Amino acid sequence: MKKIGFIGVGNMAEAMIDGMLQSGEFSSEQILVTNKNNSERLKKIQTKFNVEYFSKKKLVEKSDVLIIAVKPQDLKDVLLNIKNFIKKDILIISVVAGVDIESIINYLGKKLPIIRAMPNTSARVNYSATAMAVSKNIKDEEVGMAHKILSCVGTVHLVEENNLDAVTGLSGSGPAYVYSFINAMIKGGEEQGLSHELSEKLAFQTLRGALEMITVTGSEIDELIVQICSPNGTTVAGLGVLKETFFEDNIKKAISTATNRSKQLCFENKVGIITPQKTCQ
Ligand SMILES: NC(=O)c1ccc[n+]([C@@H]2O[C@H](COP(=O)([O-])OP(=O)(O)OC[C@H]3O[C@@H](n4cnc5c(N)ncnc54)[C@H](OP(=O)(O)O)[C@@H]3O)[C@@H](O)[C@H]2O)c1
C-alpha cells in the first residue's frame, strides 16, 4: 500500500485529500501530512480525514509519493530542507504554480521522477481541469499513479511541460474569468429590473444549460450560437454588442496575458541556471 505524503495542507491539499478519500481509491492510512507551523490546521485535517501528521523528515522517509502543495515562494525552503533524506525512488508531484521541473531537480540536486501538475480551484468540488507534465526519467507506472491521484479531483491531461503556462492561462486562471462573466450577467439582469436572486438563478441555470448543450448534443459551438439567433432578433442584437466591444479578443488577451505572467513567474523562480537568454517555455 503506497504512502502518499503531502507537504503543505492548505486549500489545494485539502481538496486533493478529500477527493482521494471520496473516490475510494485511497484510504486514510495511506495519507500523511505536514505543514510549516500551523498546528491547529494540521489537527483539523487529521480530525477531518483521519490521517496522520509527521515532521517533514519523517513524512519524506515514510512516503512513496510526495505531493508538494506549498506556495511558490516556500518551495525552495521545502526542497532544500528535504533533499538530504529523500529516497531516490520516491515520486514527486508538485502542484506549485510557476516552478518548472528543472528548478525542482536543481533544488534537490538529483534527478528524481517528477510530475508537475496544474490543477484549478474547482478541485474542491472534484471538477478540476488539470494538466500534468512529466520529467524525462519517469516510468509509466509513476505517470499512472499521478493520474490516479489527480483524477480524484477532476479530469487530467498529459501535456509537454512547455504547454503548462498556457494551461495556467486557460484553466488555471479560467474559473475567475467565468466567475467574472457570471457576475456581469447577474448585474446585467439587475440593471434591467430583475431581482438579484432571480438574476442569479437565471444566470447559473443558463450557464449549466449551455454547458450541457455542448456536452450532450456534441454540436459545434458556432452551430449552437446560430440556432439561438433569429434574424433581426434579440440574440443577434446582444451578440452585436459583444462583437463591437471585442469580447472574444478580450478573453483571448486575458489568456495570453496570464500565460505570459506564468512564463515570467517561472523565470523568476528559476534557480542557479538563470541567464538573460534563458526563459521557461
Ligand atoms: N488553491 C488552488 O486552487 C490552486 C490551484 C492550482 C495550483 N495551486 C498551487 O497549489 C499550491 C498550494 O496552494 P494553496 O492554495 O493550497 O496554498 P495555502 O492554502 O496557502 O497552503 C500552503 C501550505 O503550505 C504550507 N507550507 C508553507 N511553507 C512550508 C514549509 N516550509 N514546509 C512545509 N509546509 C509549508 C503551509 O503551512 P502553514 O499553514 O503551516 O504555513 C500551508 O499548509 C500553490 O503553489 C498554488 O500555486 C493552487
Side-chain angles (χ1 to χ4, degrees):
M1 198 171 55
K2 298 251 184 211
K3 297 277 186 188
I4 324 276
F6 280 83
I7 300 191
V9 276
N11 297 314
M12 183 42 71
E14 182 172 0
M16 289 180 72
I17 296 169
D18 202 10
M20 287 166 74
L21 296 179
Q22 270 181 45
S23 73
E25 295 282 352
F26 299 90
S27 62
S28 46
E29 305 88 72
Q30 284 181 270
I31 295 174
L32 326 172
V33 295
T34 195
N35 66 1
K36 191 175 185 179
N37 49 24
N38 187 342
S39 51
E40 223 169 274
R41 171 80 183 161
L42 268 187
K43 285 193 188 113
K44 187 187 152 205
I45 294 291
Q46 182 200 32
T47 312
K48 182 172 176 189
F49 298 117
N50 196 24
V51 295
E52 276 193 274
Y53 59 80
F54 294 93
S55 69
K56 251 192 296 261
K57 181 172 188 290
K58 263 250 149 59
L59 178 134
V60 169
E61 285 169 352
K62 280 175 168 284
S63 298
D64 301 295
V65 179
L66 198 59
I67 300 181
I68 305 186
V70 301
K71 293 284 189 204
Q73 65 271 21
D74 296 318
L75 183 68
K76 181 179 174 187
D77 265 5
V78 168
L79 296 178
L80 294 180
N81 199 244
I82 63 174
K83 66 183 277 191
N84 291 333
F85 37 86
I86 204 157
K87 294 181 284 198
K88 67 175 189 312
D89 57 347
I90 201 166
L91 169 64
I92 296 182
I93 302 175
S94 166
V95 296
V96 180
V99 184
D100 66 5
I101 292 173
E102 190 179 9
S103 293
I104 296 173
I105 290 172
N106 278 355
Y107 283 129
L108 289 171
K110 42 193 142 189
K111 291 192 172 172
L112 296 168
I114 294 170
I115 296 204
R116 180 181 160 206
M118 174 45 67
N120 68 20
T121 51
S122 307
R124 261 180 69 187
V125 289
N126 298 347
Y127 267 87
S128 175
T130 303
M132 65 176 189
V134 304
S135 60
K136 288 194 187 87
N137 52 341
I138 208 96
K139 296 187 191 117
D140 286 351
E141 70 205 55
E142 292 166 333
V143 178
M145 175 52 104
H147 194 280
K148 186 172 160 186
I149 292 172
L150 293 163
S151 57
C152 291
V153 290
T155 58
V156 183
H157 304 270
L158 188 59
V159 299
E160 293 297 327
E161 192 178 13
N162 62 9
N163 282 325
L164 274 184
D165 295 307
V167 166
T168 307
L170 172 62
S171 52
S173 305
Y177 312 149
V178 177
Y179 298 145
S180 303
F181 174 71
I182 299 171
N183 245 342
M185 282 188 73
I186 295 167
K187 286 178 188 160
E190 287 177 310
E191 278 180 22
Q192 297 313 311
L194 302 180
S195 69
H196 177 75
E197 201 189 7
L198 180 60
S199 216
E200 218 176 49
K201 283 184 176 150
L202 292 174
F204 292 169
Q205 185 63 5
T206 301
L207 239 95
R208 277 194 203 104
L211 199 55
E212 278 301 294
M213 283 292 283
I214 295 169
T215 317
V216 174
T217 65
S219 304
E220 293 294 326
I221 294 178
D222 282 338
E223 197 185 307
L224 291 170
I225 294 175
V226 170
Q227 284 169 15
I228 315 173
C229 295
S230 28
N232 219 11
T234 58
T235 313
V236 170
L239 282 177
V241 176
L242 292 187
K243 203 163 184 185
E244 266 167 36
T245 53
F246 307 105
F247 176 76
E248 188 176 313
D249 289 346
N250 283 327
I251 299 293
K252 288 198 277 197
K253 201 167 163 192
I255 293 170
S256 74
T257 305
T259 302
N260 289 334
R261 180 68 189 128
S262 175
K263 287 183 190 173
Q264 194 185 2
L265 282 173
C266 195
F267 176 75
E268 287 168 13
N269 286 319
K270 262 201 172 308
V271 279
I273 47 169
I274 298 176
T275 67
Q277 292 79 27
K278 187 145 192 173
T279 59
C280 304
Q281 293 303 299

